[in-house]
Amino acid sequence: SFLLKRSVRTRLLIVEDNEYDRILLVETLKNKYELMIVSSAKEALSILAISQEEGNEIAGIILDVFLPGENGFDVFDSIRADESYRDIPILFSTSKTAWRDVLHGLNLGAADYLKKPIQPFKVLAKVNAAMFRARIEQVWRIEKGGSGS
């Protein structure tokens, strides 16, 4: 008999307080990724910890720069402060698209920038590219550390 294995989808965490943007992101990414959606930094940090404890780690994060009472750049720093989350690609999402702000986010170590209004095809392309780069870097680190070459 032929058995179909359900493939495990990559898990993304979306941190977005704007309902319209959340819906657009979910509709754009739901067919390719397993999504966890929160609207605050506190919820995001909690989900990261719980997911790690359960062994269902988050593979990527889309982080709104402007959250209620929070600055996405500070949230980014909080996530990166934990060694466990240092390699998770984080894409900033914002309507603030001045080059100074984009460069600031990229200089912090963000994988990319998603400009609002959300353009589904660009979001999917940028998220796919960030996840692909993260997998390649992970394989490279394993080979470098494991094979000694």
Side-chain angles (χ1 to χ4, degrees), residues 70-107:
E70 311 248 36
N71 175 319
F73 298 129
D74 294 336
V75 176
F76 180 95
D77 288 338
S78 296
I79 293 170
R80 284 292 189 253
D82 188 320
E83 183 79 29
S84 313
Y85 310 135
R86 288 222 173 119
D87 297 326
I88 298 174
I90 300 175
L91 294 88
F92 281 119
S93 171
T94 185
S95 54
K96 193 172 184 181
T97 56
W99 278 109
R100 179 184 68 241
D101 300 313
V102 172
L103 285 175
H104 178 63
L106 294 174
N107 285 334

Side-chain angles (χ1 to χ4, degrees), residues 12-75:
L12 297 181
L13 174 61
I14 297 173
V15 188
E16 173 62 64
D17 65 307
N18 180 286
E19 185 177 359
Y20 178 75
D21 290 328
R22 262 196 323 263
I23 290 168
L24 268 175
L25 288 167
V26 167
E27 289 303 312
T28 300
L29 299 167
K30 70 180 182 182
N31 291 327
K32 179 148 185 171
Y33 298 98
E34 179 182 339
L35 304 174
M36 308 208 54
I37 302 101
V38 298
S39 58
S40 74
K42 184 178 179 181
E43 291 172 307
L45 295 172
S46 176
I47 289 291
L48 278 168
I50 291 168
S51 295
Q52 187 175 30
E53 287 170 13
E54 293 175 349
N56 296 319
E57 295 179 15
I58 301 294
I61 302 170
I62 297 174
L63 176 60
D64 187 4
V65 171
F66 298 105
L67 295 165
E70 311 248 36
N71 175 319
F73 298 129
D74 294 336
V75 176

